[in-house]
């Protein structure tokens, strides 16, 4: 695995959590808890992208608040696809239109992105468009914020 220009050793790769190691145990709802930076989000994105590449299945990326989705759509460190893009030489990004996020690659929609706080914006949307996997990123409640899940 490459990160930027660095080649990672097999031992180093094993230090990161990988959802594919549990693929045979996945159920309709799975909750992955763990420390920061151990690969939960990256691994789930990798799993969804592999499913998209092999079956065309779209996925949904959820956050608690709309501003988190908007930050995720930026080019900075908040974009959850940055690391994955570097390692796979691709350009997956979130494009926001009328408070609804679309996960894009080369102007093609490959998934959706939304916030729980504004999920009602998706009422009437055709969510059965081949979306079988949902990633709810950072769902743990933050102190003093009663609106977060």
């Amino acid at each position: 695995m490459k990160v930027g220009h660095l080649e990672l050793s097999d031992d180093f790769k094993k230090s990161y959590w990988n959802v594919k190691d549990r693929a045979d145990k996945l159920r309709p709802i799975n909750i992955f808890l763990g420390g920061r930076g151990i690969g939960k989000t990256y691994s789930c994105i990798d799993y969804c992208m592999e499913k998209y590449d092999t079956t065309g299945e779209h996925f949904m990326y959820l956050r608690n608040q709309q501003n988190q989705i908007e930050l995720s759509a930026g080019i900075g460190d908040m974009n959850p696809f940055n690391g994955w893009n570097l390692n796979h030489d691709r350009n997956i990004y979130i494009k926001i239109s009328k408070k609804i996020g679309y996960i894009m690659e080369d102007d093609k929609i490959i998934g959706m992105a939304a916030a729980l706080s504004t999920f009602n914006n998706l009422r009437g949307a055709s969510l059965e468009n081949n979306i079988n996997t949902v990633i709810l990123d950072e769902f743990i409640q933050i102190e003093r914020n009663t609106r977060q899940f």
Side-chain angles (χ1 to χ4, degrees), residues 92-134:
I92 311 300
Y93 60 96
I94 297 172
K95 177 181 178 180
I96 297 177
S97 175
K98 299 180 183 176
K99 293 193 178 187
I100 297 174
Y102 299 93
I103 301 170
M104 310 286 293
E105 182 175 32
D106 301 325
D107 297 325
K108 181 178 180 185
I109 296 173
I110 65 170
M112 296 186 74
L116 291 176
S117 64
T118 58
F119 201 76
N120 64 334
N121 292 341
L122 298 177
R123 280 189 300 168
S126 180
L127 296 180
E128 68 274 3
N129 286 335
N130 209 14
I131 293 176
N132 293 318
T133 305
V134 176

Side-chain angles (χ1 to χ4, degrees), residues 60-66 68-69 113-122 134-139 147-149:
M60 180 173 278
Y61 178 78
L62 292 176
R63 295 295 304 258
N64 287 311
Q65 301 291 320
Q66 183 64 29
Q68 293 171 319
I69 288 294
L116 291 176
S117 64
T118 58
F119 201 76
N120 64 334
N121 292 341
L122 298 177
V134 176
I135 301 170
L136 172 53
D137 200 11
E138 302 288 346
F139 69 90
R147 295 192 67 202
Q148 284 197 324
F149 189 166

Side-chain angles (χ1 to χ4, degrees):
M1 174 194 296
K2 282 186 142 184
V3 175
H5 299 288
L6 300 173
E7 185 71 34
L8 301 179
S9 72
D10 287 338
D11 288 338
F12 187 78
K13 285 185 254 182
K14 290 177 187 172
S15 68
Y16 284 95
W17 185 82
N18 189 344
V19 70
K20 290 184 227 171
D21 293 342
R22 304 201 43 85
D24 61 331
K25 293 177 175 52
L26 293 178
R27 301 294 180 254
I29 297 175
N30 300 277
I31 298 173
F32 307 121
L33 300 173
R36 297 184 67 81
I38 64 167
K40 297 179 305 293
T41 300
Y42 180 98
S43 175
C44 288
I45 288 171
D46 191 49
Y47 176 77
C48 289
M49 288 304 301
E50 186 174 297
K51 286 174 69 174
Y52 171 76
D53 289 340
T54 57
T55 68
E57 179 183 307
H58 293 186
F59 63 99
M60 180 173 278
Y61 178 78
L62 292 176
R63 295 295 304 258
N64 287 311
Q65 301 291 320
Q66 183 64 29
N67 70 325
Q68 293 171 319
I69 288 294
E70 291 166 2
L71 288 169
S72 296
I75 58 172
D77 290 338
M78 296 297 291
N79 181 335
F81 298 98
N82 281 347
W84 194 90
N85 286 335
L86 281 172
N87 292 332
H88 294 86
D89 196 29
R90 290 175 66 180
N91 185 30
I92 311 300
Y93 60 96
I94 297 172
K95 177 181 178 180
I96 297 177
S97 175
K98 299 180 183 176
K99 293 193 178 187
I100 297 174
Y102 299 93
I103 301 170
M104 310 286 293
E105 182 175 32
D106 301 325
D107 297 325
K108 181 178 180 185
I109 296 173
I110 65 170
M112 296 186 74
L116 291 176
S117 64
T118 58
F119 201 76
N120 64 334
N121 292 341
L122 298 177
R123 280 189 300 168
S126 180
L127 296 180
E128 68 274 3
N129 286 335
N130 209 14
I131 293 176
N132 293 318
T133 305
V134 176
I135 301 170
L136 172 53
D137 200 11
E138 302 288 346
F139 69 90
I140 296 175
Q141 183 177 359
I142 297 174
E143 277 187 52
R144 291 182 271 162
N145 189 342
T146 58
R147 295 192 67 202
Q148 284 197 324
F149 189 166

